[in-house]
Amino acid sequence: MAKRDFYDILGVTRSSTADEIKKAYRKLAIKFHPDKNPGDNAAEDKFKEAAEAYEVLSNPEKKQRYDQYGHSGNSPQGGGGGHMNMDDIFSQFGDIFGGGGSPFDSFFGGGGGQQGGSRRMSRGSNLRIKVKLTLDEIAKGAEKKIKVNKLIVCRTCDGTGAKDKSSVQTCKTCGGSGAVRRVTNTILGQMQTSATCPTCNGAGTQITSKCESCHGEGVIRGEETISINIPAGVSEGMQLSMSGKGNAAPNGGISGDLIILIEEIPHESLQREGNNVVYDLHISFIDAALGASVEVPTIDGKAKIKIEPGTQGGKILRLKGKGVPEVNSYHRGDQLVYINIWTPKAISKDEKEMLEKLQASPNFKPQPGKNERSFFERMKEYFE
């Protein structure tokens, strides 16, 4: 794939000043930083692409060659730098983020490190909770306030883990970069490798006196009330995610996410089938024969429906738009009303005599017409 124009990548022009180029790169680096986009390969590629563009355009000599010859002007054959890895990016451009080795050092209040390496940004673990919802809450959406027991930032030291400001010093092993570099000679020339500093574990600093509340961890066990806005149309087993609402990370890192697992509370009379709602209506033989007006429950309250004379058992009535909405959509399912003819199990002597008189009537002998659909045809219509 052909390389994109470096000016287009940073969103600047050939006449842009050095400060404008620096600001444009800083904005993209923060947006696509791997710590902010864990596991997102596309974001990592854009992060590297922006760094490569800045590596050329921030250097007057390389910028002049690029303006004259394009990408070939700074190719390895022409004395350029070639492909960059993460360590190269952090070590080479850490100074534009306020002295730290990573844009997140300054963006999240870190900084103070030395040029020449990258500090490792710690990340808190994710939390999972279950939220039970009624059918009404699922249909209309809901706001739930949940008390979550989790790791929170220590209020005594503000997450630093140190007793006071004077109890934090730059790591002597890595010089504050968070990484140590080694150069080895091979038959192909010198090879440079980078690894997390074993002394400070990538933090770039060491604590000489720990906070008594959190014992140097920067986090303590606590409780937080979190307001969760649940959209309409969620379903059993669906997971929602709230970024940064999980466990806090040690030493001012990035908090994990809160994963919300949805559970549906069964409704006393309605059943959910996808975005449709199903209700079983039982009517008497008399109402089926003569017709009637009956009330049925819906998500929005009671609704009156008309039973036509001669209604057969198994008929399905459809109430348009009385179901559950789709998530993030204006479309709403229907309510399906299944007609069941209820037959009494015990009748009186007089009732039996009346029914026996009707039994001989031709109108009470089953005479299904051609337009009477079978059970399987009705079910096929329902699923379609």
Side-chain angles (χ1 to χ4, degrees):
M1 183 184 294
K3 279 189 177 182
R4 292 174 58 203
D5 181 79
F6 286 158
Y7 292 101
D8 290 342
I9 291 171
L10 298 183
V12 296
T13 64
R14 292 177 182 267
S15 60
S16 297
T17 64
D19 284 340
E20 289 173 339
I21 292 173
K22 180 189 251 187
K23 288 178 181 178
Y25 168 59
R26 186 180 189 278
K27 183 178 179 181
L28 290 174
I30 291 174
K31 180 179 179 181
F32 297 114
H33 192 279
D35 285 338
K36 191 177 181 183
N37 304 275
D40 189 339
N41 293 331
E44 182 176 331
D45 290 341
K46 290 181 180 179
F47 180 77
K48 292 178 180 178
E49 187 182 52
E52 185 180 11
Y54 180 71
E55 192 258 347
V56 171
L57 300 185
S58 62
N59 185 302
E61 293 181 4
K62 292 183 178 181
K63 182 176 184 296
Q64 184 180 3
R65 289 199 299 269
Y66 178 77
D67 290 343
Q68 188 172 0
Y69 301 108
H71 292 295
S72 61
N74 291 287
S75 64
Q77 292 83 355
H83 183 71
M84 305 177 71
N85 59 35
M86 286 297 186
D87 290 328
D88 295 331
I89 295 170
F90 291 146
S91 63
Q92 196 164 350
F93 307 133
D95 60 320
I96 75 167
F97 300 103
S102 162
F104 272 42
D105 286 342
S106 112
F107 188 70
F108 289 103
Q114 303 298 319
Q115 195 173 348
S118 64
R119 295 184 177 184
R120 189 176 69 178
M121 180 62 65
S122 59
R123 181 179 176 84
S125 60
N126 293 341
L127 278 177
R128 293 180 182 272
I129 62 171
K130 293 181 180 180
V131 174
K132 294 184 177 182
L133 301 174
T134 64
L135 186 58
D136 182 69
E137 290 172 326
I138 289 172
K140 299 174 182 177
E143 181 179 357
K144 293 283 189 178
K145 290 186 177 181
I146 308 294
K147 287 185 178 181
V148 180
N149 187 283
K150 64 175 189 172
L151 293 176
I152 61 175
V153 174
C154 176
R155 295 183 178 89
T156 305
C157 64
D158 291 326
T160 64
K163 185 177 181 179
D164 48 45
K165 292 183 178 179
S166 62
S167 300
V168 181
Q169 67 178 18
T170 301
C171 176
K172 295 180 181 179
T173 303
C174 64
S177 68
V180 290
R181 297 177 182 276
R182 297 181 179 88
V183 178
T184 56
N185 294 317
T186 69
I187 59 174
L188 300 176
Q190 288 189 332
M191 297 282 290
Q192 181 176 270
T193 59
S194 177
T196 300
C197 176
T199 304
C200 65
N201 292 320
T205 57
Q206 288 181 287
I207 298 172
T208 57
S209 183
K210 296 180 179 180
C211 169
E212 295 180 357
S213 298
C214 64
H215 307 289
E217 293 296 324
V219 293
I220 59 174
R221 179 65 61 178
E223 191 175 69
E224 181 182 356
T225 300
I226 299 175
S227 182
I228 304 172
N229 288 313
I230 300 173
V234 295
S235 57
E236 174 84 20
M238 183 177 288
Q239 292 187 0
L240 307 178
S241 177
M242 294 185 69
S243 178
K245 291 297 183 180
N247 283 318
N251 307 119
I254 304 170
S255 296
D257 298 337
L258 180 66
I259 310 299
I260 302 111
L261 179 65
I262 300 299
E263 286 190 356
E264 293 187 16
I265 300 174
H267 194 276
E268 58 182 8
S269 55
L270 300 175
Q271 288 186 323
R272 182 180 177 184
E273 294 287 346
N275 290 327
N276 293 333
V277 172
V278 178
Y279 176 68
D280 273 313
L281 175 63
H282 291 81
I283 61 174
S284 68
F285 163 75
I286 297 173
D287 286 339
L290 301 179
S293 179
V294 298
E295 278 191 343
V296 296
T298 72
I299 295 174
D300 303 317
K302 296 286 186 179
K304 274 194 173 183
I305 62 172
K306 184 178 181 182
I307 306 298
E308 297 290 342
T311 294
Q312 303 297 312
K315 184 178 179 64
I316 301 173
L317 303 180
R318 187 182 295 268
L319 304 182
K320 286 285 187 181
K322 291 294 185 180
V324 176
E326 292 181 5
V327 179
N328 299 324
S329 172
Y330 292 106
H331 178 264
R332 189 170 177 176
D334 304 328
Q335 177 163 327
L336 306 175
V337 181
Y338 286 81
I339 303 298
N340 298 276
I341 308 299
W342 184 79
T343 303
K345 294 182 180 180
I347 56 177
S348 66
K349 183 179 178 180
D350 292 339
E351 290 169 340
K352 183 178 179 180
E353 290 177 355
M354 286 188 288
L355 291 175
E356 285 175 343
K357 291 179 181 178
L358 295 173
Q359 191 176 26
S361 173
N363 287 334
F364 287 89
K365 294 187 181 296
Q367 298 176 2
K370 293 183 179 179
N371 59 343
E372 295 289 343
R373 290 171 299 166
S374 68
F375 169 79
F376 295 104
E377 289 174 328
R378 290 195 297 267
M379 291 304 295
K380 182 179 179 182
E381 179 189 20
Y382 159 64
F383 285 110
E384 290 177 350

